[in-house]
Amino acid sequence: GFHLSGTVTEPATATEPEMTYKVAISFDRCKITSVTCGCGNKDIFYCAHVVALSLYRIRKPDQVKLRLPISETLFQMNRDQLQKFVQYLITAHHTEVLPTAQKLADEILSSNSEINQVHGAPDPTAGASIDDENCWHLDEEQVREQVKLFLSQGGYYGSGKQLNSMFAKVREMLRMRDSNGARMLTLITEQFMADPRLSLWRQQGTGITEKCRQLWDELGALWVCVVLNPHCKLEEKSCWLRQLRKWGEMDVCPLEDGNYGNELPNITNALTQSSGHSQDSLARPRRTVFTRAIEGCDLHWQDSHLQRIISSDFYVSPSYQREGESLLFNSQGQPLWLEHVPTACARVDALRSHGYPREALRLTVAIINTLRLQQQRQLEIYKHQKKELLQRGATTITNLEGWVGHPLNPIGCLFLTLTEACRLEEENCLEISDAGDSKPPVYQHVPVATGSQDSSESYLSLALEVALMGMGQQRVMPEGLYAQDKVCRNEEQIIARLQDLELDPVLVQTLRKQCILLLEGGPFSGLGEVIHRESVPMHTFAKYLFSALLPHDADLAYKLALRAMRLPVLETTAPSGDVTHPHHLVSVVPSRYPRWFTLGHLESQQCELASTMLTAAKGDMLRLRTVLEAIQKNIHSSSLIFKLAQDAFKIATPADSNSDTTLLNVALELGLQVMRMTLSTLNWRRREMVRWLVTCATEVGVRALVSILQSWYSLFTPTEATSIVAATVMSHNTILRLSLDYPQREELASCARTLALQCAMKDPQNCALSALTLCEKDHIAFETAYQIVIDAASTGMTYTQLFTIARYMEHRGYPLRAFKLASLAMTHLNLAYNQDTHPAINDVLWACALSHSLGKNELAAIIPLVVKSVHCATVLSDILRRCTMTAPGLAGIPGRRNSGKLMSTDKAPLRQLLDATISAYINTTHSRLTHISPRHYGEFIEFLSKARETFLLAQDGHIQFAQFIDNLKQIYKGKKKLMLLVRERFG
């Protein structure tokens, strides 16, 4: 009959014992319609045991005894045999079967039971009737469970891969014309629509995650494929249409452009006049991921011209019709198919997916012939307007719908259809190699089956041609992050496929021909001379074309890549004059200011293209010049130009051979441009850029260094010029690296000194010290720098800067100059009574120590300044103590005599310092007592003890201190506890 049963044994492994499973399979008209297996496996695919039994039956049909359906066998038995048969059956399975047997016996013996109303009895081993539906077994519950599980993992743990393999399974079913394909897709879609994240994303107004978005796209594309099945029944189609509409109307249904409809057209479509917004968003119908499939339900395959195209390779027009204009054939008599291109390509995808590869190829060829004709007509239109367009330098002609990044992926679809026909399937080669990387496919030329004369064409050359046409199509940047991102992604996918093609002479000829057409295509080509300012840039595409053409036609490769370097949206403002030509095949966009979400990526692609050209042009002076000019004209981001400069430098200075001077000069020129661009703007990489430029100039040679030192003001800030540039140029390493002779070293040093003095004049605060350091070896320059510091000291410099330079002077052996600068620094300083940890304290102590070491006069000169600037008692007492410990004038300035005697605190200049210190202690004491808390009492008593030490340095100090303490006791008698402590310590 139609029922196969068997036992399958799984051999023992190291961990598992041998297992035996019972398997039963029902089949009907060459399809497995149901399966059961004792292993309990839950999966959408059959378990290994079912597969094993099926293969055994296919491979060894004679080993499997073929029997009649059981009902036939029973029919041949008499009354006794039947009795025996039933009793033996019950005995063999009495535990499982007995209750059922008893129930059936009761029903049969009851005259009015349901079982007795029906004639005959069921037979599981007999086939279905001819009218019954028959389809492959599909465990629907399992499909639901698995999709739900993978979606809940949110694209992690390889679940995205798993879902993609389920989509691939649907495509495989469609190709085998298995009616379960659409059923399985329905089950998958139901689970996708029930994904709880959809409503969450919608509430939060956030977009769907990237991985999930791509899955939804594939889902939408698959539905287009399903509804375009050329042989589906009308009732099936209307059933799908109902489902698709139901899903599309649900508010959580994702939108085609990837935005959750943020109902904010003004974000991505900010028309200059705000009044236009509201009508604009209302006029645009809501397009969901299912909209294209819903529209696809209106398409049919009954058109007689279409039927003839797909059913014969030799469908051509009669020769007498080839003179006039025809919409059905081109001048060679080949059929055309003038449908909206993405829709026509969706038909191709449907044919391919439903197992009609020949028909898909025939339609593809008709579409390509149509595109060629369109390209020719556009060239003619452009020739008539070329002069006017080039004069104006701007155009409003554009394609609103791009084929690359389109939801239906038209170009990818045509390319795949054509290359599949040319694929060389290696014998017993599996798609995936051991490493898990898929090996690149190998293609051969297969001539186009055609009724026309030109049979030199192959499907492979058509594949290349259509990919180039599609990628080179001029199109306006779509709105919204998702759509823009998709353009980039789709472009990369097509290029990756193109890179699998081995370019033989036939393909090179196709490549050259198409590149020339693209360059001459005017506003209709993305590589034409004048394009719409919001055209999708061609950098990624041009980089592929450049590398592919370079070995075969370098001039064409450079012409194309240089043309593609532009990024008009950053270079021009929106055109004001709107020139419309109603007879054009393309529409005109009002000037809009969209947000280019992918601009950063596009600019980096522009940079990649430039880098590729620089690398290729190494050693070719003229080419490098043109590439450099293109970079300077078209690239607007300093960090990208810096990256290019670094790239050029790397390529120009290989580790294992000599430097390339031409390319090094390009690197330097780009570096100089970056310096000029970032001089007045803040850039966090600026220091790195400046250091790099000096390295690059050093590599170029001494003339380059002289040049950047002489024109420093247009490249660097004064601080950079002195502390980084000149300092590096004058370093020992640079001199060694360049192995300079004496005159060259002198020339560099002289330029560095001139720079140092100019910078010190311009910004003395930040450059004075560097300038002095750079001028050390030249007396006149050093004196000039010192004079600049003195002049600036009274107005523009802080005490910190002056103290630093003063210390440097002392270190260099100019103690009197150091003293002068320290005195100037003191006049800028003000230390309050409570600033006993101020960073300038060390400088003050150093300045006093310096003055003391120089002699009595210098000390006498600085003390009034100290008294005026420093009001902190502890600092003053520290200075006083240091001045009384040794005799002044120990620095031993030549021509000076020192008495070698200690100084007295009773006489000037120390008397003035002592008085100031005592009054500082008195003031500080009163200040501290106004807001003192008990926990600071102990500290305060210690402070008074320090004060007593200073008081006692004066002749009548003990009397002064006693009076001071009495005074405190009188004024602060309210603070009883504190005054008790004062009495205990000081009486």
Side-chain angles (χ1 to χ4, degrees):
F2 298 87
H3 189 84
L4 175 69
S5 48
T7 50
V8 178
T9 305
E10 205 168 293
T13 62
T15 50
E16 299 286 323
E18 182 180 276
M19 298 290 277
T20 303
Y21 300 104
K22 288 189 174 156
V23 182
I25 300 175
S26 300
F27 48 91
D28 176 13
R29 281 162 276 183
C30 304
K31 298 186 182 80
I32 291 176
T33 52
S34 74
V35 301
T36 52
C37 176
C39 73
N41 167 60
K42 288 280 176 217
D43 199 342
I44 60 169
F45 306 116
Y46 301 150
C47 66
H49 317 110
V50 168
V51 175
L53 183 63
S54 309
L55 289 175
Y56 186 81
R57 167 69 182 79
I58 292 165
R59 289 175 184 164
K60 301 185 179 174
D62 47 345
Q63 301 278 327
V64 179
K65 196 159 183 194
L66 186 59
R67 300 173 187 278
L68 289 169
I70 197 79
S71 51
E72 296 287 326
T73 312
L74 294 175
F75 187 68
Q76 294 166 16
M77 295 183 189
N78 61 27
R79 169 76 185 70
D80 290 350
Q81 288 172 317
L82 282 171
Q83 173 108 20
K84 202 170 202 173
F85 173 77
V86 173
Q87 283 183 236
Y88 266 97
L89 181 64
I90 293 172
T91 309
H93 300 284
H94 66 274
T95 49
E96 300 125 78
V97 174
L98 198 55
T100 314
Q102 188 62 60
K103 181 168 163 280
L104 288 173
D106 293 347
E107 287 191 9
I108 286 170
L109 292 172
S110 156
S111 57
N112 58 353
S113 66
E114 199 177 322
I115 219 167
N116 285 326
Q117 310 301 313
V118 182
H119 184 68
D123 177 359
T125 63
S129 87
I130 193 78
D131 309 323
D132 286 359
E133 272 292 305
N134 67 325
C135 62
W136 286 88
H137 168 69
L138 176 73
D139 187 339
E140 300 194 353
E141 197 39 53
Q142 256 330 100
V143 175
R144 289 193 192 94
E145 285 306 309
Q146 295 225 315
V147 177
K148 198 174 182 174
L149 172 70
F150 295 145
L151 283 173
S152 70
Q153 292 169 348
Y156 302 105
Y157 319 112
S159 59
K161 238 194 199 115
Q162 301 279 8
L163 287 164
N164 272 321
S165 78
M166 289 180 95
F167 288 148
K169 188 76 190 160
V170 171
R171 281 194 184 272
E172 189 189 324
M173 288 166 150
L174 297 179
R175 199 163 52 247
M176 305 303 292
R177 309 192 195 156
D178 175 353
S179 58
N180 276 327
R183 179 73 198 120
M184 181 154 159
L185 187 59
T186 304
L187 297 169
I188 293 174
T189 310
E190 282 168 353
Q191 291 308 311
F192 264 70
M193 288 302 294
D195 186 347
R197 293 175 299 170
L198 288 179
S199 52
L200 196 71
W201 284 324
R202 193 166 181 279
Q203 284 159 9
Q204 295 167 347
T206 52
I208 300 182
T209 60
E210 188 59 27
K211 282 183 177 145
C212 205
R213 215 21 276 197
Q214 291 171 28
L215 293 169
W216 274 101
D217 279 355
E218 176 62 6
L219 193 67
L222 268 174
W223 272 113
V224 174
C225 243
V226 167
V227 302
L228 281 180
N229 177 352
H231 292 290
C232 71
K233 302 189 185 84
L234 264 177
E235 54 269 29
E236 280 183 305
K237 203 182 244 192
S238 53
C239 171
W240 294 330
L241 182 58
R242 276 198 305 278
Q243 275 181 335
L244 289 164
R245 283 202 173 126
K246 188 186 81 190
W247 292 325
E249 282 160 11
M250 291 167 73
D251 50 5
V252 293
C253 187
L255 301 185
E256 182 177 77
D257 66 356
N259 295 339
Y260 240 128
N262 285 343
E263 265 61 279
L264 292 173
N266 55 336
I267 283 189
T268 50
N269 186 14
L271 292 165
T272 31
Q273 66 283 23
S274 55
S275 60
H277 294 337
S278 46
Q279 297 94 314
D280 190 52
S281 59
L282 292 173
R284 233 185 291 172
R286 178 169 174 269
R287 293 188 66 86
T288 73
V289 285
F290 300 117
T291 302
R292 288 188 191 265
I294 292 168
E295 292 166 350
C297 290
D298 296 337
L299 297 175
H300 60 81
W301 296 84
Q302 271 75 58
D303 183 277
S304 59
H305 182 57
L306 176 61
Q307 283 298 328
R308 289 194 188 106
I309 290 173
I310 63 178
S311 55
S312 161
D313 288 326
F314 304 104
Y315 174 42
V316 289
S317 70
S319 50
Y320 60 83
Q321 282 184 0
R322 294 182 193 174
E323 289 308 304
E325 279 272 297
S326 155
L327 290 178
L328 300 183
F329 302 92
N330 64 13
S331 55
Q332 286 88 49
Q334 295 164 316
L336 303 173
W337 182 243
L338 289 172
E339 195 172 25
H340 168 241
V341 176
T343 307
C345 296
R347 285 186 190 273
V348 172
D349 192 27
L351 288 168
R352 206 177 112 247
S353 303
H354 288 284
Y356 301 100
R358 301 295 319 160
E359 289 82 346
L361 269 178
R362 289 169 189 147
L363 184 53
T364 298
V365 174
I367 293 170
I368 291 175
N369 283 326
T370 313
L371 290 177
R372 284 172 171 169
L373 188 64
Q374 187 185 342
Q375 198 176 39
Q376 284 311 121
R377 287 189 182 164
Q378 289 176 343
L379 274 173
E380 283 155 27
I381 292 173
Y382 175 52
K383 274 181 192 144
H384 292 304
Q385 305 164 0
K386 189 170 180 176
K387 200 171 161 197
E388 178 198 351
L389 266 176
L390 290 177
Q391 274 174 347
R392 218 173 48 246
T395 176
T396 50
I397 299 172
T398 185
N399 277 309
L400 282 178
E401 181 178 58
W403 299 330
V404 173
H406 190 282
L408 297 174
N409 187 12
I411 301 301
C413 160
L414 297 184
F415 186 82
L416 269 179
T417 306
L418 291 161
T419 49
E420 271 175 8
C422 305
R423 212 166 164 155
L424 256 183
E425 292 300 343
E426 291 173 42
E427 284 308 303
N428 64 38
C429 118
L430 280 170
E431 260 296 285
I432 307 290
S433 64
D434 297 341
D437 309 323
S438 51
K439 285 165 72 177
V442 183
Y443 298 111
Q444 60 182 352
H445 282 285
V446 175
V448 175
T450 165
S452 81
Q453 312 78 22
D454 185 12
S455 57
S456 65
E457 285 190 331
S458 83
Y459 290 122
L460 201 57
S461 61
L462 286 188
L464 175 61
E465 184 179 349
V466 79
L468 300 177
M469 270 185 180
M471 299 273 283
Q473 176 212 27
Q474 184 282 330
R475 53 202 183 268
V476 81
M477 179 61 85
E479 291 179 27
L481 167 62
Y482 181 69
Q484 292 177 13
D485 191 46
K486 201 164 163 186
V487 168
C488 302
R489 228 186 12 253
N490 193 202
E491 194 172 34
E492 281 157 14
Q493 285 161 352
I494 296 171
I495 288 173
R497 294 229 169 95
L498 284 174
Q499 283 165 337
D500 287 339
L501 300 181
E502 282 282 320
L503 292 182
D504 59 14
V506 178
L507 293 182
V508 169
Q509 196 185 343
T510 306
L511 178 70
R512 287 187 56 184
K513 187 177 159 195
Q514 196 49 239
C515 285
I516 292 165
L517 285 172
L518 287 172
L519 282 170
E520 291 172 357
F524 303 96
S525 153
L527 292 162
E529 279 175 280
V530 179
I531 50 166
H532 190 277
R533 72 180 287 271
E534 282 160 37
S535 282
V536 170
M538 293 278 136
H539 309 125
T540 315
F541 179 41
K543 185 179 148 194
Y544 161 75
L545 293 176
F546 178 78
S547 305
L549 273 172
L550 197 62
H552 311 287
D553 188 341
D555 286 341
L556 184 57
Y558 277 101
K559 187 176 180 187
L560 211 143
L562 290 164
R563 170 80 57 84
M565 271 294 290
R566 63 199 170 187
L567 191 47
V569 80
L570 294 180
E571 287 150 25
T572 53
T573 50
S576 47
D578 199 37
V579 185
T580 49
H581 296 277
H583 59 273
H584 279 166
L585 311 170
V586 278
S587 51
V588 176
V589 190
S591 80
R592 55 183 190 127
Y593 298 90
R595 279 175 47 185
W596 283 42
F597 295 96
T598 50
L599 194 57
H601 170 76
L602 297 171
E603 284 189 285
S604 68
Q605 289 302 305
Q606 183 188 33
C607 176
E608 286 286 305
L609 173 62
S611 184
T612 307
M613 282 197 280
L614 282 176
T615 311
K618 180 177 177 177
D620 185 331
M621 192 80 149
L622 277 171
R623 293 241 197 261
L624 278 173
R625 266 290 123 210
T626 32
V627 176
L628 177 66
E629 281 161 19
I631 291 168
Q632 291 172 326
K633 180 178 171 217
N634 293 302
I635 297 186
H636 304 281
S637 149
S638 57
S639 57
L640 289 175
I641 296 178
F642 181 49
K643 184 189 177 299
L644 280 173
Q646 288 175 304
D647 286 354
F649 183 75
K650 266 193 207 107
I651 304 158
T653 53
D656 49 1
S657 60
N658 294 337
S659 300
D660 180 277
T661 354
T662 49
L663 196 49
L664 257 182
N665 279 305
V666 168
L668 180 65
E669 210 160 318
L670 290 172
L672 294 170
Q673 187 184 343
V674 173
M675 288 298 108
R676 288 189 283 269
M677 284 171 87
T678 55
L679 178 59
S680 52
T681 56
L682 286 173
N683 189 309
W684 60 276
R685 295 183 66 189
R686 178 75 189 174
R687 277 183 80 80
E688 177 197 350
M689 291 169 168
V690 174
R691 285 182 198 286
W692 178 87
L693 186 81
V694 179
T695 309
C696 181
T698 308
E699 206 59 42
V700 174
V702 70
R703 302 297 350 132
L705 287 175
V706 167
S707 165
I708 65 169
L709 290 173
Q710 286 175 342
S711 56
W712 71 267
Y713 43 85
S714 65
L715 305 169
F716 315 107
T717 64
T719 319
E720 289 166 347
T722 50
S723 65
I724 305 176
V725 183
T728 313
V729 171
M730 296 310 295
S731 71
H732 188 56
N733 282 352
T734 306
I735 301 205
L736 279 181
R737 175 85 190 83
L738 290 169
S739 52
L740 302 178
D741 57 21
Y742 181 73
Q744 288 174 317
R745 284 210 299 260
E746 271 313 291
E747 183 185 13
L748 266 187
S750 158
C751 289
R753 288 194 290 268
T754 310
L755 170 148
L757 295 173
Q758 289 169 343
C759 293
M761 286 291 285
K762 201 169 165 64
D763 182 4
Q765 291 102 316
N766 297 309
C767 301
L769 186 57
S770 304
L772 287 163
T773 314
L774 287 164
C775 296
E776 276 171 4
K777 296 198 172 99
D778 183 290
H779 178 68
I780 297 170
F782 189 79
E783 289 304 312
T784 313
Y786 173 68
Q787 204 44 57
I788 292 170
V789 175
I790 296 297
D791 294 345
S794 53
T795 52
M797 296 183 76
T798 66
Y799 59 81
T800 315
Q801 290 161 339
L802 289 168
F803 274 131
T804 310
I805 299 168
R807 289 190 165 201
Y808 161 81
M809 282 294 185
E810 187 200 24
H811 179 67
R812 296 274 310 133
Y814 295 107
L816 287 169
R817 287 183 173 185
F819 167 74
K820 182 167 187 181
L821 287 164
S823 306
L824 287 166
M826 287 300 297
T827 60
H828 291 272
L829 181 67
N830 185 23
L831 269 185
Y833 78 92
N834 54 354
Q835 287 181 298
D836 49 0
T837 55
H838 194 283
I841 291 172
N842 282 333
D843 289 321
V844 174
L845 294 175
W846 167 81
C848 293
L850 173 71
S851 316
H852 186 262
S853 72
L854 288 173
K856 202 170 172 182
N857 296 342
E858 282 76 13
L859 190 61
I862 207 151
I863 280 176
L865 300 176
V866 170
V867 166
K868 193 172 174 196
S869 303
V870 181
H871 307 290
C872 179
T874 48
V875 178
L876 288 170
S877 63
D878 203 359
I879 297 169
L880 188 60
R881 189 176 50 78
R882 289 169 188 231
C883 290
T884 52
M885 276 163 65
T886 54
L890 295 179
I893 300 272
R896 288 201 184 178
R897 282 176 59 246
N898 286 314
S899 62
K901 281 189 346 202
L902 291 174
M903 292 173 75
S904 158
T905 53
D906 289 340
K907 297 191 181 120
L910 292 188
R911 177 71 212 216
Q912 189 185 356
L913 183 58
L914 176 63
D915 290 347
T917 310
I918 288 173
S919 76
Y921 269 118
I922 293 170
N923 291 339
T924 306
T925 303
H926 287 301
S927 297
R928 286 179 76 163
L929 281 171
T930 51
H931 45 73
I932 192 167
S933 68
R935 63 198 171 102
H936 292 125
Y937 284 176
E939 199 188 308
F940 176 71
I941 298 295
E942 292 311 312
F943 173 75
L944 281 184
S945 305
K946 273 212 174 97
R948 178 163 61 182
E949 288 168 23
T950 305
F951 271 87
L952 294 180
L953 291 173
Q955 268 189 342
D956 54 347
H958 60 288
I959 299 166
Q960 271 191 21
F961 187 71
Q963 280 173 348
F964 171 52
I965 293 292
D966 285 345
N967 208 359
L968 290 183
K969 286 192 259 186
Q970 192 55 40
I971 299 171
Y972 302 102
K973 56 175 180 266
K975 299 184 189 297
K976 291 192 172 66
K977 193 173 179 191
L978 179 60
M979 288 309 126
L980 193 68
L981 293 172
V982 171
R983 264 195 212 89
E984 273 177 18
R985 175 73 68 95
F986 306 109

